[in-house]
Each structure stands twice: as structure tokens, then as C-alpha cells.
Amino acid sequence: MTTLQEASAYWREWFDRGEFEEGLARVREALDASEADEPSVDRVRVLYGAHLLAFRRGEPAAEYARQALDLARELGDVRGECDGLTGLARAALREGDYEQVARYAAEGVRKARQAGDAAAEASPLHLQAAGVRLTGDYDQARALYLESVALAERLGDERRKQTEFHNLGWVELHRGDVDAAARMFEERDARSSIDAYGDAWRDLNNAALALARGDRDEAARLFDVGKRKLADLGAELDPDDQSEVDWMTEQLAK
């Protein structure tokens, strides 16, 4: 039986290793077993973990985020409140409701800055950048992602930096700066083995670079390899990542 404390301590490891199905089963087990317990910060953390694992599995995830937000507000837990708002922004992103994404993410950033909690700011800032990116405002998205990288540098968060360098690579491609995109992807690759989902994107990133440089055969080969790696993880793509897969599919079909 997985306890709430164990789930709170280890859900991120399960997530980063790509153990989405097992991780979700274990956090649900912990939440069900502790349902009658006193409200706690551990429960807030596990609810957010359940949200992320369910989201990656392509399952409904907004209710976990809502519960995390409500409980965090009851407990006065700023980090949990910002995580809950991030989760609601993430769910809105999948629904294509970018206005809601902006509202939830901006509220999370504001709450964290008001409390002087840099760690709590990281997740909503990331979602704010993702929402702007999917509106097609790549210049503003670039600025927000760079802000997120700077924050991750201050926090010593290499996983976040890996994620944002991946995102910056695609933003730079859409801005037409292939050399900058290559540098961003190199920075991402330097932090490999942190996140299984991010590592599965390496071939897709290189496929995009090959296409931008005019090597369509190599682009198509790498694109197929990358898609197989993602499929093997059993993960539902993030909406911003799905948009890039769709874009690459369109480009290669021309």
C-alpha cells in the first residue's frame, strides 16, 4: 500500500522516469487510502502529482488540479495554490482555451511573486509561456521562456532548464533562426537522462533541424524514429508538443 507521504516524496521520480501508468495507480491508491485523514500539504502535493500523471496519460486531470487548489487555499500553502492554478492552466491548454490559460497562469505568477516564493513561480511561468506560444506570438513566447530559464538557473532546476531549452528550440525554428534553434537543442541534450519524455524528443528535434536545413530524407527518418520512441512511452503529448508534431507532419507531406 502506497502511503500519502511516499507518494508525495516519489511521484516526481515516477513521472520523470516515464512510469506514468504505475505512478498514477500509486498516487490514486495513496489518495484513496488517506481520504479520511486531516488535510495536509502532502495531500496537496500528491493531488498535483495525480494531475500531472493523469495529464500525461491523456486522462481527465482538471479535477485533481481543482482539488489541489482548493485544499492549498484552505491550508495557506502558496506553492500548492500556484501548482493548482498551473494545473488548471494546463487543462485549459489542452482544451485550446488560451484566454483561460493566460488567466490561471498569470494569477499563479502573481501569487508566487507576491509571496516572494521563486520556486512556486516556476510552473505557472512555464504555462504562461506555453499559452503565448500556441497563440503564435513567438517573440513574446521566447521572452517568457528565457525568463523561465533564468528562474530555473537561480533555483538550480536542471529539469526545468532542459524543458525550456527544448521549447526555445522550436520557438527559434518558427522565428526562422535555425542556428539559435540548434544551440537550444544542444543545451537540452546536455541535460539528458533527467526526463524520459524530454529525451524521447531528441530525434524529433533533430528532424526539425534537418528539415530546416533542406535534408528532407533525414528529417523523415528521424521523425519516424522519434514518434516511435514517444509511442513506446505511452504518453499523451503536451498541446504545444502536439502542435509541433502536426506542423512537422504537414511540412513533410508537402
Side-chain angles (χ1 to χ4, degrees):
M1 175 71 69
T2 305
T3 68
L4 197 67
Q5 292 72 28
E6 287 171 337
S8 178
Y10 296 114
W11 74 261
R12 174 61 73 178
E13 291 185 24
W14 302 329
F15 184 86
D16 288 345
R17 289 199 298 262
E19 298 168 0
F20 308 123
E21 183 174 4
E22 180 183 352
L24 183 57
R26 294 186 70 176
V27 297
R28 282 174 169 162
E29 179 182 65
L31 289 168
D32 290 345
S34 64
E35 194 168 5
D37 291 354
E38 288 293 317
S40 67
V41 169
D42 276 338
R43 188 170 185 84
V44 176
R45 301 292 178 266
V46 176
L47 283 166
Y48 184 61
H51 157 77
L52 268 176
L53 287 158
F55 185 86
R56 182 63 77 231
R57 290 275 299 158
E59 298 183 22
E63 182 55 29
Y64 287 123
R66 173 61 66 188
Q67 289 180 36
L69 177 61
D70 291 345
L71 182 55
R73 284 175 168 167
E74 178 185 335
L75 296 172
D77 173 21
V78 173
R79 175 182 160 190
E81 186 174 359
C82 293
D83 282 345
L85 289 164
T86 299
L88 292 176
R90 186 178 287 111
L93 193 71
R94 181 153 283 168
E95 295 298 320
D97 189 344
Y98 304 134
E99 186 174 316
Q100 281 282 66
V101 175
R103 184 171 71 83
Y104 286 130
E107 185 180 354
V109 170
R110 181 181 63 79
K111 289 277 186 181
R113 290 177 178 173
Q114 188 176 49
D117 191 334
E121 181 184 342
S123 291
L125 179 59
H126 165 74
L127 259 294
Q128 191 174 28
V132 170
R133 172 183 171 186
L134 284 177
T135 68
D137 187 347
Y138 294 112
D139 289 344
Q140 179 64 13
R142 178 180 182 273
L144 288 167
Y145 280 130
L146 287 172
E147 191 176 340
S148 183
V149 169
L151 177 60
E153 181 71 30
R154 296 201 304 275
L155 295 171
D157 188 346
E158 292 297 307
R159 187 184 62 81
R160 177 71 67 190
K161 285 165 67 176
Q162 182 198 51
T163 298
E164 302 304 45
F165 282 128
H166 161 82
N167 290 322
L168 279 163
W170 285 92
V171 166
E172 294 290 16
L173 279 171
H174 287 296
R175 294 178 70 248
D177 193 336
V178 179
D179 290 339
R183 290 195 299 273
M184 295 299 106
F185 289 145
E186 286 170 7
E187 290 282 0
R188 191 229 72 85
D189 293 346
R191 294 162 180 81
S192 60
S193 301
I194 296 175
D195 171 31
Y197 175 84
D199 287 349
W201 268 84
R202 182 185 296 222
D203 292 300
L204 293 169
N205 296 344
N206 288 329
L209 291 174
L211 183 63
R213 290 165 174 161
D215 191 343
R216 295 182 64 85
D217 290 341
E218 180 67 356
R221 184 188 72 79
L222 288 169
F223 188 59
D224 287 341
V225 171
K227 285 195 298 181
R228 284 198 298 273
K229 287 182 179 178
L230 282 173
D232 288 343
L233 272 181
E236 185 83 7
L237 295 184
D238 287 349
D240 44 354
D241 288 334
Q242 184 63 61
S243 73
E244 303 302 4
V245 168
D246 294 343
W247 179 78
M248 278 289 292
T249 300
E250 292 172 6
Q251 297 304 306
L252 289 169
K254 290 181 179 178

Coordinates of all heavy atoms in Angstrom, one line a residue, residues 1-3 28-37 43:
M1 N 0.8 -1.2 0.0 CA 0.0 0.0 0.0 C 0.9 1.3 0.0 O 1.8 1.4 0.9 CB -0.9 0.0 1.2 CG -1.8 1.2 1.4 SD -3.1 1.3 0.1 CE -4.1 0.0 0.7
T2 N 0.7 2.1 -0.9 CA 1.4 3.4 -1.0 C 0.8 4.4 -0.1 O -0.4 4.7 -0.1 CB 1.4 3.9 -2.4 OG1 1.9 2.9 -3.3 CG2 2.3 5.2 -2.6
T3 N 1.7 5.0 0.8 CA 1.2 6.0 1.7 C 1.2 7.3 1.1 O 1.9 7.6 0.0 CB 2.0 6.0 3.0 OG1 3.3 6.5 2.7 CG2 2.1 4.6 3.6
R28 N -3.1 7.4 -6.8 CA -4.5 7.3 -6.6 C -4.7 6.4 -5.4 O -5.6 6.6 -4.6 CB -5.2 6.6 -7.8 CG -5.4 7.7 -8.9 CD -6.0 7.0 -10.2 NE -6.5 8.0 -11.1 CZ -6.7 7.7 -12.4 NH1 -6.4 6.5 -12.9 NH2 -7.1 8.7 -13.2
E29 N -3.9 5.3 -5.3 CA -4.0 4.4 -4.1 C -3.8 5.2 -2.8 O -4.5 5.1 -1.8 CB -3.0 3.3 -4.2 CG -2.9 2.3 -3.1 CD -1.8 1.3 -3.3 OE1 -0.6 1.7 -3.3 OE2 -2.1 0.1 -3.4
A30 N -2.7 6.1 -2.8 CA -2.4 6.9 -1.6 C -3.5 7.9 -1.3 O -3.9 8.1 -0.2 CB -1.1 7.6 -1.9
L31 N -4.1 8.5 -2.3 CA -5.2 9.5 -2.1 C -6.4 8.8 -1.6 O -7.1 9.3 -0.6 CB -5.5 10.2 -3.4 CG -4.5 11.2 -3.9 CD1 -4.8 11.6 -5.3 CD2 -4.4 12.4 -3.0
D32 N -6.7 7.6 -2.1 CA -7.9 6.9 -1.6 C -7.7 6.4 -0.2 O -8.7 6.5 0.6 CB -8.2 5.7 -2.5 CG -8.7 6.1 -3.9 OD1 -9.1 7.2 -4.1 OD2 -8.7 5.2 -4.8
A33 N -6.5 5.9 0.1 CA -6.3 5.4 1.5 C -6.3 6.5 2.5 O -6.6 6.2 3.7 CB -4.9 4.7 1.5
S34 N -6.0 7.7 2.1 CA -5.8 8.8 3.1 C -7.0 9.7 3.1 O -7.0 10.8 3.7 CB -4.6 9.6 2.8 OG -4.7 10.2 1.5
E35 N -8.1 9.3 2.4 CA -9.2 10.2 2.2 C -9.8 10.8 3.5 O -10.2 12.0 3.6 CB -10.3 9.5 1.4 CG -11.4 10.5 0.8 CD -12.3 9.8 -0.2 OE1 -12.1 8.6 -0.4 OE2 -13.1 10.5 -0.8
A36 N -9.8 10.0 4.6 CA -10.4 10.4 5.8 C -9.4 11.2 6.7 O -9.7 11.6 7.8 CB -10.9 9.2 6.6
D37 N -8.1 11.3 6.3 CA -7.1 11.9 7.1 C -7.3 13.4 7.1 O -8.1 14.0 6.4 CB -5.7 11.7 6.5 CG -5.2 10.2 6.6 OD1 -6.0 9.5 7.3 OD2 -4.2 9.9 6.0
R43 N -1.0 16.0 0.9 CA -2.1 15.7 0.1 C -2.2 16.7 -1.1 O -2.5 16.3 -2.2 CB -3.4 15.7 0.9 CG -4.6 15.2 0.0 CD -5.9 15.0 0.9 NE -6.9 14.4 0.0 CZ -7.1 13.1 -0.2 NH1 -6.2 12.3 0.3 NH2 -8.0 12.7 -1.0

